Amino acid sequence: PVALAAGHDLAPRPVGPSAYSQQTPLVAYAGGKYLTVWLENLERAGWRYLGALSDPDGYRLSPEAFVVVQISN
């Protein structure tokens, strides 16, 4: 899935391949910044929501994705 706002792809750019399934990107806007969050399936270890900040042009402001919520099995 691709998260879009104002016609720009706001999904964080991958830093490298992920060993886990990622899904359900969501985008929120406030104060001139976008917050994109997505769900990552950690298989037997549970799930976690990851996030990244972007500017209105779709460029990432966070150096890497950060954990928003960790959900353990």
Side-chain angles (χ1 to χ4, degrees):
V2 175
L4 297 174
H8 296 283
D9 175 5
L10 292 178
R13 307 300 187 263
V15 176
S18 175
Y20 303 108
S21 167
Q22 298 177 341
Q23 59 191 19
T24 320
L26 301 167
V27 179
Y29 176 82
K33 297 177 186 168
Y34 290 92
L35 170 64
T36 304
V37 296
W38 62 98
L39 189 59
E40 184 173 64
N41 181 348
L42 301 174
E43 299 173 4
R44 294 184 182 164
W47 296 79
R48 65 182 175 185
Y49 277 97
L50 296 174
L53 294 171
S54 301
D55 70 13
D57 292 322
Y59 294 101
R60 182 187 285 187
L61 299 174
S62 343
E64 58 186 46
F66 51 86
V67 176
V68 177
V69 176
Q70 181 86 33
I71 306 165
S72 300
N73 281 343

